[in-house]
Amino acid sequence: MDINRRDALKLGATTAISGMLMPNMAGASEREPIVMEPLTGKAGFRVANYLPKMGASSRLGLVTNDGLVVDIPAEAARQKLTLSFDPTSMISLAASGNRGLLDLAALFKNRSKSSVNVNQVVLLSPIPKPQSNIYCVGWNYLDHFDEGMQSRADKTVKEYPKVPVLFTKGTQTMNGPFDSIPYDGSYSTAIDWEAELAVVIGKKGKNISEENAMDYVFGYSAYNDTTARDVQQKRHSGQWFKGKSLDGHGPMGPWVVTAGGVNLDDTRIICRVNGVEKQNASYKQMYFKIPVVIAELSRSLTLLPGDIIATGTPSGVGYSRKPPEFLKPGDMMETEITGVGIIRNKIA
């Protein structure tokens, strides 16, 4: 049996990472500078998908505690290390398992001192082309379920579900951590925020038990299940898919923090709009924790490396406020997962 993924992360960290972990973001010159802060876990890697400069090809990089980006393919070539994964693909890295994590540890330990600052590169979505729809969990916080009771078009659901409520967003919703979110006022004027912790699956599995579920987690990222409420609630009679699947309405990033770098109990899910806090809740308030979600989702359904699960949003969404509040062009939506990172997306 393979070494547990979390054990491998700890091994990689103790051999290589004393100064490497932290969250926030990176991209273009008009963006706010990235401020590095400590991870909540004791061991792990912050892996970004980025462009070293405009016009260059994308590749994976390790983002250090002091805000430097270690170019994974360049470092592998310099160190003459044959990697167990494609250094331009987060999905490939996730699928490589423990070998890939140990490769990262070796790269980091022997890294060159000439690394670029994270504020001088362009950060992309960690998984710009998901291989399947993004899996999402609805009503995973009791207070969010309660706040929506009076606002939902469908009044038939009055009791909290006994199993996770699951739906998907189309792959075309994927957007970068600092990219603009398209606004089409001719179709929807009720664009809402939903900050969420995203889970990235690390190995293929079906009918996964709750006891083993965390062994299938590669890492975590910040995500926002941006939603067109008028489309969701009225145009499509309460069906969720279309209202949650508009192009670019699913920003993710700014990187993936591998599992050993995140202590879930210390994780908070926060959303701000134009600097004003709208949502703030702890992972501990999540009703169906990640092992339960993975176990239920994988029943008679195969999960693959690189699959993304958005684990649900806490209370504080716009459509349940009195009066309702919605995003409009020019607004800045900020999604923070403490110990993971912050993404900022302008509505445009």
Side-chain angles (χ1 to χ4, degrees):
M1 182 176 180
D2 286 345
I3 300 172
N4 181 283
R5 182 178 301 276
R6 286 165 287 176
D7 292 340
L9 282 164
K10 292 176 183 177
L11 172 61
T14 53
T15 58
I17 318 189
S18 58
M20 153 176 189
L21 329 176
M22 281 342 314
N24 241 342
M25 51 208 174
S29 57
E30 67 272 11
R31 233 194 28 247
E32 287 188 33
I34 297 171
V35 178
M36 309 306 294
E37 60 184 58
L39 297 180
T40 56
K42 294 182 179 179
F45 298 94
R46 189 181 296 101
V47 188
N49 180 35
Y50 78 105
L51 300 174
K53 60 182 179 179
M54 296 305 296
S57 59
S58 65
R59 75 280 311 276
L60 301 182
L62 297 172
V63 183
T64 71
N65 279 349
D66 51 359
L68 299 179
V69 182
V70 179
D71 185 321
I72 290 176
E75 272 299 306
R78 190 186 68 82
Q79 297 180 31
K80 297 182 172 55
L81 175 64
T82 301
L83 297 172
S84 57
F85 59 90
D86 176 354
T88 68
S89 168
M90 192 74 70
I91 295 175
S92 177
L93 173 59
S96 68
N98 296 331
R99 285 190 59 196
L101 296 172
L102 294 173
D103 285 349
L104 294 184
L107 281 175
F108 186 79
K109 181 179 180 180
N110 300 305
R111 68 192 182 282
S112 166
K113 298 189 185 305
S114 58
S115 297
V116 66
N117 188 280
V118 72
N119 290 292
Q120 297 175 314
V121 304
V122 178
L123 289 185
L124 309 173
S125 165
I127 303 176
K129 295 182 179 180
Q131 58 195 339
S132 60
N133 276 1
I134 297 155
Y135 299 112
C136 303
V137 184
W139 302 333
N140 205 11
Y141 292 80
L142 292 174
D143 51 2
H144 176 52
F145 178 80
D146 291 341
E147 75 173 352
M149 285 288 286
Q150 303 305 315
S151 306
R152 287 194 294 272
D154 183 357
K155 304 292 186 184
T156 60
V157 181
K158 297 181 179 180
E159 295 184 358
Y160 198 77
K162 293 181 171 57
V163 296
V165 173
L166 302 171
F167 64 96
T168 69
K169 289 172 73 86
T171 59
Q172 77 285 343
T173 62
M174 181 55 71
N175 207 340
F178 308 107
D179 293 338
S180 296
I181 293 175
Y183 185 93
D184 180 359
S186 69
Y187 188 61
S188 173
T189 57
I191 305 300
D192 205 349
W193 54 84
E194 291 197 28
E196 308 202 11
L197 170 67
V199 172
V200 178
I201 295 297
K203 61 179 179 178
K204 183 177 180 180
K206 181 178 179 180
N207 296 324
I208 301 165
S209 69
E210 290 183 31
E211 294 73 21
N212 295 328
M214 297 306 287
D215 293 334
Y216 288 77
V217 174
F218 168 68
Y220 304 94
S221 195
Y223 186 80
N224 200 295
D225 175 22
T226 318
T227 302
R229 295 294 185 194
D230 42 4
V231 176
Q232 176 193 16
Q233 299 286 342
K234 299 175 183 177
R235 190 179 182 94
H236 287 268
S237 304
Q239 293 184 0
W240 295 2
F241 178 75
K242 182 63 187 297
K244 289 177 172 288
S245 290
L246 304 189
D247 290 356
H249 281 230
M252 179 176 172
W255 37 61
V256 173
V257 176
T258 55
V262 178
N263 181 348
L264 289 171
D265 284 345
D266 291 338
T267 298
R268 300 196 69 83
I269 296 88
I270 303 167
C271 184
R272 304 177 189 91
V273 177
N274 299 327
V276 178
E277 185 174 285
K278 302 295 185 180
Q279 295 177 286
N280 190 330
S282 168
Y283 172 79
K284 291 184 284 188
Q285 295 171 258
M286 194 180 288
Y287 190 81
F288 297 110
K289 300 297 193 293
I290 290 170
V292 178
V293 172
I294 290 176
E296 179 65 24
L297 181 59
S298 70
R299 291 189 67 178
S300 296
L301 185 157
T302 302
L303 297 179
L304 298 173
D307 278 350
I308 300 163
I309 305 173
T311 56
T313 200
S315 63
V317 294
Y319 85 109
S320 294
R321 292 174 174 265
K322 309 294 184 191
E325 299 176 18
F326 296 111
L327 296 163
K328 58 188 183 299
D331 285 345
M332 180 65 71
M333 181 176 71
E334 181 178 272
T335 306
E336 177 179 4
I337 306 298
T338 58
V340 175
I342 301 174
I343 62 177
R344 294 187 179 96
N345 302 94
K346 188 175 183 178
I347 310 304

